[in-house]
Amino acid sequence: MLAVMGIMLTMLGLLLPALNDALGSKGRKGAVNILLNTFEQARVAALEQSTNVYVGFADGNIPNNAVGQRNEGFAFTRFIVFRDRIDDIDGASAPKYIPLTKWLALPKGVAFKSGSGLLTGATVTVASTDRFPGIAATYTMPILQFSNTGIIQQPTSNLAVYIYQGFWSGSGTTDVFTGAKGNSLFERISFSRFTGRAQLDITTSS
C-alpha cells in the first residue's frame, strides 16, 4: 500500500506542472477573448455615442482606500470602460467621466505586464465625484482612448498590451511569473490606430 501511494504521489508531482500550464494557457486565452470583446465594445460605444470612450487599467497606484472592496490583487488585473460627460446640465459639479461598466477582471492567475505598452502610456485622472466604483479619491490611471470617430487617440505610441500567467507583486513592485516558461511567454494584443480595432498577435516575448 505504501509503495502504491508513493508511486501515486510521484506521478502527481510530475503531473502538476503540466496541469498548471494547461490551466494557465486556458486563463490567458480567456483573458484574450474578454479583452478583444471589451476593446471592440468601447470602440463601438465611441461611435454610437459620438464621444470619447476610454478603457482604463488599474495599475500599481490604485488607491488603497477603495469603497466597499479590498484592493489586494487588484492592480494589473482590472480594467474599466468609461466615457466623457457629454452635457453640462449639472454645471461644473457634475461628473467629468461616466463609467459604462464596473471594474472588469482578468481570469484568475493572469495579469497585465506592468512595464509594457498601454500601461506606461497615456493617463486620465478621475475623481470621487466621477462615481467610479471603488474609487474614493483622485486616481490617475493608464488608458486607451477611442475618439468619436472610432480611432485611437491615446496613447500616441506603444499600441499594444501584454498579458501573462502570474501576478504583480505590490511589495516588490514587479511582475511575478508562474508559468513553466517564466518571463518568456506573453499574449500580445495590438491596435490599429486609424481603425481602432484590436488583434491578437503571435505569442511573443518582450
Side-chain angles (χ1 to χ4, degrees), residues 156-167:
T156 57
S157 61
N158 295 328
L159 286 177
V161 62
Y162 296 83
I163 58 172
Y164 67 96
Q165 186 180 343
F167 61 93

Side-chain angles (χ1 to χ4, degrees), residues 112-124:
F112 292 107
K113 188 169 183 287
S114 65
S116 282
L118 299 174
L119 299 180
T120 57
T123 60
V124 155

Side-chain angles (χ1 to χ4, degrees), residues 4 24 33 39 86 88-89 129 137 140 142 190-191 194 197 203:
V4 172
N33 290 333
F39 294 138
I86 54 179
D88 293 314
I89 294 175
T129 53
T140 300
S190 64
F191 304 87
F194 298 109
R197 293 189 180 277
T203 301

Side-chain angles (χ1 to χ4, degrees), residues 57-66 69 71 74-76 78 103 133-135 139-141 168:
F57 302 90
D59 66 0
N61 296 315
I62 186 77
N64 291 321
N65 58 342
Q69 66 183 34
N71 275 338
F74 199 88
F76 297 103
R78 303 296 199 278
W103 283 102
I135 301 298
Y139 173 48
T140 300
M141 73 178 87
W168 184 77

